[in-house]
């Protein structure tokens, strides 16, 4: 191994040497005795195969389409079957994603992509403005790609790994020798386009080289609704303070609110349904780089009565609703971790901290006062019917005690809980979000639906697989919503949308979580591979729902057989999985083929 590394170093310094000269120099270099350091530096690994493969690569520009379901390393020759043609099938209103890899053993300068319209042979055109491109930036991870044993305890993992994830707009870029640059292509099929096959070219040019790629998109008759109309209940917890912190602006200033508009647009574009709000200061025991502040200021007046300031709460809810996120508001939480509550003492002007255990007299008194005031405020705003009081991963004793106080106050309150499945909570919760692997069976979920309740599920820093860490195979992000459809869930929850670590644009590692666990969007409202694959799965969920509804009214035997095939295929997502990446990719390919065939049959 030392000899190989030495050969690579020598070749990079003296590329004109023959193989025999490189081998001899490598032996000489390897025999030198270097002083040993007193510590082991933190290396960044971004390759898993023999780096000498670059010696076999032909000089010049290399370009190929590649799978969006896998990752490709920064300094590793891509293991792909080179192809310059990409074919895809989609509905009107659907987004299709493709990945192009650019690599070379030589440095490439001024690489640029030139998009052309996609044209149907009968005349209709899909304008190139519907095609967006982003280069994929690599970020630092604390686990290697596709690791099967990631845990919340990241302390033993001192190595660092480069993983492709963050999107960045570009006009042109350079590719250093022996490196790879992925480019993500998104095609938003217009809702009003004429069905048919649309073909076009994509030119890749750089200094001294060029390549031509071909795109072919078959647009089916079916129509995908706009994201705002999707039924899937996507709940990605937000922390608006992190946007102000990262951009060095004053929270809730005009600059902050302008940034939030773009920041929330990505969530709305994936069908986001829940607005995350906070009625207490730092509900999760200060476990974020930028803690979640309260949006509702609790003020204890001089006569010991309470008053409440909602101006931040109202501003954020309106911002989210203007972005199109308007189906549900979750207020966290009657049960903050450690039962710690903060309020402003009007007499002294100081913040005071107290512990109010759920069910205690102090808790009952304070929360009855708050709930009475909050209910009136929500009714005035017209938001009461879509508001949930949120409880997260608390003990059964604390959860039941809080629910009793809430229910005794008013039957109008809706309650949501995220955590393990407990039958005793079933009838008490309007919305129940189960931790993956700690869930009820399908019949219990159907029972909740029959009572008018909603059910979702979530993943967090566990399980290791399936997940959407930066080191997870991208296909797992799409798999998540097929699992939701199979289990009868209404949607999916993830903490968090934007709980960024110190330097998220370059380093996705967190002090206590696996890389990427706590965010799915990057600063500037920039998307990433993980977010787009999650969105793909949500679109699949919507297509499954629409296809089933339409097929249920059809007497056609072939359509009925295809629906049976789809339902049988869905059942496989409920079986025990070892989450072999190739198996999941094969399952996704089969899923797409069934839906494509069913869509064609329903259009006949």
């Amino acid at each position: 191994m030392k000899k190989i590394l030495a050969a690579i170093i020598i070749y990079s310094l003296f590329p004109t040497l023959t193989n025999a000269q490189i081998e001899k120099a490598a032996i000489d270099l390897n025999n030198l005795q270097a002083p040993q350091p007193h510590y082991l530096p933190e290396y960044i690994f971004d390759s898993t195969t023999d780096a000498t493969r670059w010696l076999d690569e032909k000089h010049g520009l290399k370009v190929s389409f590649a799978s969006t379901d896998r990752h490709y390393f920064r300094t590793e020759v891509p293991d792909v079957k080179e192809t310059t043609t990409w074919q895809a099938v989609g509905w009107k209103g659907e987004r299709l994603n493709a990945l192009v890899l650019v690599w070379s053993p030589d440095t490439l300068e001024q690489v640029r992509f030139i998009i052309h319209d996609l044209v149907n042979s009968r005349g209709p055109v899909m304008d190139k403005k519907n095609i967006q491109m982003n280069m994929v930036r690599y970020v630092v991870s604390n686990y290697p790609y596709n690791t099967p044993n990631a845990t919340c305890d990241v302390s033993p993992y001192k190595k660092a790994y480069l993983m492709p994830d963050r999107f960045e707009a570009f006009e042109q870029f350079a590719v250093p020798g022996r490196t790879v640059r992925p480019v993500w292509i998104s095609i938003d099929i217009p809702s009003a386009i004429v069905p048919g096959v649309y073909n076009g070219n994509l030119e890749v040019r750089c200094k001294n080289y060029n390549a031509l790629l071909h795109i072919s998109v078959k647009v089916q008759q079916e129509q995908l609704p706009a994201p705002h109309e999707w039924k899937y209940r996507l709940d990605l917890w937000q922390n608006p303070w992190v946007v102000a912190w990262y951009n060095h602006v004053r929270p809730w200033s005009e600059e902050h609110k302008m940034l939030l508009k773009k920041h929330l647009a990505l969530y709305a574009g994936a069908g986001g349904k829940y607005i995350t709000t906070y009625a207490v200061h730092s509900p999760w025991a200060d476990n974020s780089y930028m803690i979640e502040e309260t949006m509702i200021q609790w003020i204890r007046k001089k006569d010991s009565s309470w008053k409440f300031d909602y101006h931040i709460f109202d501003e954020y809810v309106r911002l989210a609703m203007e972005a199109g996120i308007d189906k549900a508001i979750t207020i966290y939480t009657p049960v903050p971790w450690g039962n710690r509550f903060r309020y402003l003492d009007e007499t002294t002007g100081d913040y005071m901290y107290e512990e109010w255990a759920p069910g205690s007299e102090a808790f009952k008194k304070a929360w009855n006062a708050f709930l009475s005031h909050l209910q009136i405020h929500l009714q005035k705003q017209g938001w009461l019917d879509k508001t949930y009081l949120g409880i997260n991963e608390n003990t059964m004793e604390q959860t039941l005690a809080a629910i009793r106080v809430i229910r005794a106050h008013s039957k109008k309150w809706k309650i949501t809980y995220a955590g393990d499945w407990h039958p005793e909570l079933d009838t008490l919760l309007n919305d129940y979000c189960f931790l993956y692997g700690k869930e009820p069976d399908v019949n219990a979920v159907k029972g909740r639906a029959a009572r008018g309740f909603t059910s979702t599920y979530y993943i967090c820093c566990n399980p290791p697989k399936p997940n959407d860490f930066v080191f997870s195979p991208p296909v797992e992000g799409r798999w998540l919503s097929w699992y939701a459809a199979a289990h009868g869930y209404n949607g999916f929850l993830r903490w968090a949308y934007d709980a960024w670590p110190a330097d998220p644009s370059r380093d996705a590692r967190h002090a206590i979580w696996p890389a990427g666990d706590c965010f799915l969007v990057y600063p500037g409202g920039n998307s990433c591979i993980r977010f787009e694959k999650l969105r793909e799965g949500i679109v699949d969920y919507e297509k499954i729902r629409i296809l089933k509804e339409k097929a249920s009214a059809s007497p056609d035997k072939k359509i009925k057989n295809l629906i049976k095939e789809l339902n049988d295929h869905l059942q496989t997502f409920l079986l025990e999985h070892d989450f072999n990446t190739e198996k999941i990719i094969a399952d996704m390919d089969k899923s797409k083929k069934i839906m494509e065939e069913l869509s064609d049959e329903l259009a006949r």
Side-chain angles (χ1 to χ4, degrees):
M1 184 63 186
K2 291 181 180 179
K3 180 180 174 181
I4 293 173
L5 291 173
I8 295 170
I9 293 169
I10 292 166
Y11 180 80
S12 65
L13 295 173
F14 307 102
T16 58
L17 293 180
T18 66
N19 287 342
Q21 288 171 322
I22 290 172
E23 183 174 358
K24 182 180 184 301
I27 293 171
D28 294 338
L29 179 62
N30 198 42
N31 287 332
L32 293 176
Q33 296 297 315
Q36 297 301 307
H38 295 289
Y39 62 91
L40 290 176
E42 181 180 68
Y43 293 102
I44 294 182
F45 296 85
D46 57 356
S47 180
T48 58
T49 62
D50 185 355
T52 59
R53 284 184 57 190
W54 285 109
L55 302 178
D56 298 325
E57 286 290 293
K58 293 181 179 178
H59 294 284
L61 172 69
K62 307 295 289 292
V63 180
S64 178
F65 285 105
S67 172
T68 62
D69 293 328
R70 298 179 174 89
H71 277 325
Y72 302 91
F73 294 102
R74 175 78 168 134
T75 60
E76 180 178 301
V77 177
D79 188 12
V80 295
K81 182 179 179 180
E82 293 182 37
T83 176
T84 56
T85 299
W86 178 70
Q87 296 177 314
V89 180
W91 289 11
K92 293 181 291 183
E94 183 176 355
R95 177 180 299 168
L96 302 176
N97 296 313
L99 186 70
V100 172
L101 300 180
V102 181
W103 75 98
S104 177
D106 314 302
T107 294
L108 304 175
E109 298 178 4
Q110 301 183 43
V111 179
R112 54 198 180 276
F113 282 55
I114 301 171
I115 311 170
H116 296 276
D117 295 338
L118 304 185
V119 181
N120 183 280
S121 60
R122 297 183 179 180
V125 173
M126 186 185 302
D127 195 290
K128 62 184 179 183
K129 68 182 180 182
N130 296 290
I131 305 174
Q132 301 296 321
M133 294 186 301
N134 287 281
M135 65 170 156
V136 181
R137 288 291 191 186
Y138 288 79
V139 296
V140 181
S141 166
N142 47 18
Y143 282 96
Y145 174 52
N146 208 5
T147 187
N149 57 355
T151 70
C152 291
D153 180 14
V154 299
S155 57
Y157 295 88
K158 302 301 184 183
K159 294 179 181 177
Y161 305 84
L162 282 179
M163 293 294 145
D165 192 45
R166 178 172 65 87
F167 288 178
E168 185 176 298
F170 71 95
E171 293 183 0
Q172 59 186 36
F173 55 81
V175 178
R178 302 179 192 173
T179 67
V180 179
R181 174 61 65 200
V183 174
W184 190 273
I185 301 174
S186 295
I187 301 177
D188 288 305
I189 302 174
S191 295
I193 200 167
V194 177
V197 177
Y198 292 77
N199 294 295
N201 293 325
L202 177 62
E203 297 179 64
V204 184
R205 296 179 182 175
C206 67
K207 192 174 182 179
N208 301 325
Y209 303 102
N210 60 73
L212 188 66
L213 303 176
H214 180 70
I215 296 173
S216 180
V217 174
K218 177 184 174 181
V219 180
Q220 296 183 299
Q221 180 65 49
E222 294 295 338
Q223 176 79 50
L224 183 70
H228 183 263
E229 306 307 318
W230 296 349
K231 304 299 183 185
Y232 191 97
R233 295 175 71 87
L234 178 63
D235 185 5
L236 304 179
W237 291 5
Q238 310 112 55
N239 176 358
W241 286 273
V242 79
V243 176
W245 165 70
Y246 184 85
N247 290 283
H248 306 288
V249 299
R250 181 169 56 84
W252 309 108
S253 63
E254 290 305 311
E255 294 87 350
H256 183 205
K257 286 184 279 188
M258 288 298 295
L259 290 166
L260 284 173
K261 287 180 180 180
K262 182 180 180 183
H263 185 73
L264 290 170
L266 196 64
Y267 180 38
K273 296 292 185 288
Y274 291 79
I275 305 169
T276 311
T277 67
Y278 304 93
V280 298
H281 173 78
S282 189
W284 317 130
D286 305 342
N287 65 359
S288 301
Y289 277 72
M290 170 49 61
I291 61 176
E292 299 85 351
E293 294 273 359
T294 184
M295 292 181 175
I296 302 171
Q297 186 72 266
W298 293 50
I299 304 166
R300 176 165 276 171
K301 298 195 294 185
K302 294 177 181 179
D303 63 2
S304 295
S305 64
W306 292 100
K307 68 178 180 181
F308 305 93
D309 184 343
Y310 297 94
H311 80 275
I312 293 176
F313 174 84
D314 291 348
E315 282 194 16
Y316 187 65
V317 170
R318 290 194 185 103
L319 270 173
M321 288 187 172
E322 288 170 6
I325 309 156
D326 58 7
K327 301 300 182 186
I329 303 166
T330 309
I331 299 178
Y332 292 103
T333 171
V335 195
W337 292 2
N339 300 324
R340 183 184 64 175
F341 291 88
R342 190 190 78 174
Y343 63 86
L344 182 66
D345 188 304
E346 190 177 61
T347 302
T348 65
D350 294 334
Y351 282 116
M352 307 297 292
Y353 293 86
E354 293 188 19
E355 288 187 17
W356 299 336
S360 67
E361 287 306 311
F363 179 92
K364 291 177 184 177
K365 187 175 180 180
W367 272 83
N368 272 305
F370 174 61
L371 292 175
S372 294
H373 206 275
L374 177 63
Q375 191 172 71
I376 293 170
H377 183 78
L378 293 171
Q379 285 174 329
K380 286 181 179 178
Q381 300 292 342
W383 299 337
L384 181 61
D385 290 342
K386 62 181 63 178
T387 296
Y388 295 80
L389 299 175
I391 304 173
N392 177 51
E393 295 181 347
N394 288 103
T395 66
M396 184 56 47
E397 179 184 3
Q398 290 185 329
T399 301
L400 287 172
I403 290 173
R404 283 193 290 268
V405 172
I406 295 166
R407 292 290 181 224
H409 180 269
S410 173
K411 293 182 179 179
K412 292 183 179 180
W413 289 117
K414 293 180 179 179
I415 303 174
T416 181
Y417 176 81
D420 296 355
W421 161 243
H422 299 285
E424 54 266 53
L425 292 179
D426 186 13
T427 59
L428 302 176
L429 301 173
N430 305 85
D431 180 75
Y432 203 153
C433 185
F434 311 103
L435 175 60
Y436 176 84
K438 299 295 182 71
E439 309 152 85
D441 60 27
V442 172
N443 290 329
V445 176
K446 288 180 179 178
R448 288 186 52 77
R451 294 192 295 275
F453 295 156
T454 52
S455 304
T456 61
Y457 85 106
Y458 72 103
I459 54 176
C460 50
C461 61
N462 61 79
K465 300 170 81 62
N467 219 302
D468 47 17
F469 306 128
V470 296
F471 52 84
S472 299
V475 70
E476 290 183 16
R478 190 170 192 168
W479 185 95
L480 294 171
S481 292
W482 278 84
Y483 180 78
H487 215 293
Y489 289 137
N490 300 97
F492 172 76
L493 177 151
R494 190 70 162 89
W495 181 87
Y497 182 59
D498 52 13
W500 294 327
D503 187 15
S505 293
R506 294 182 294 183
D507 191 340
R509 292 175 297 176
H510 193 284
I512 51 178
W513 315 119
D517 172 61
C518 53
F519 68 98
L520 283 165
V521 58
Y522 283 86
N526 287 322
S527 189
C528 62
I529 290 176
R530 293 177 296 134
F531 191 85
E532 293 301 321
K533 295 303 291 188
L534 177 65
R535 190 184 187 279
E536 281 184 5
I538 294 169
V539 169
D540 290 342
Y541 181 101
E542 291 299 306
K543 291 172 72 172
I544 292 167
R545 176 183 61 79
I546 293 168
L547 289 171
K548 283 187 172 185
E549 288 175 1
K550 291 194 172 186
S552 65
S554 173
D556 185 273
K557 186 175 180 180
K558 186 170 184 180
I559 290 175
K560 289 186 179 296
N561 288 338
L562 283 169
I563 282 293
K564 182 180 184 304
E565 185 179 359
L566 176 60
N567 285 329
D568 290 345
H569 183 55
L570 278 168
Q571 291 305 304
T572 65
F573 288 84
L574 300 178
L575 303 176
E576 290 291 331
H577 285 270
D578 60 3
F579 291 100
N580 175 276
T581 300
E582 298 308 312
K583 171 68 166 58
I584 299 176
I585 291 174
D587 286 344
M588 288 294 97
D589 289 342
K590 181 176 181 180
S591 302
K592 288 185 285 187
K593 288 178 181 177
I594 295 172
M595 288 198 296
E596 288 169 8
E597 188 174 357
L598 186 52
S599 299
D600 281 337
E601 289 300 320
L602 285 168
R604 294 185 192 281

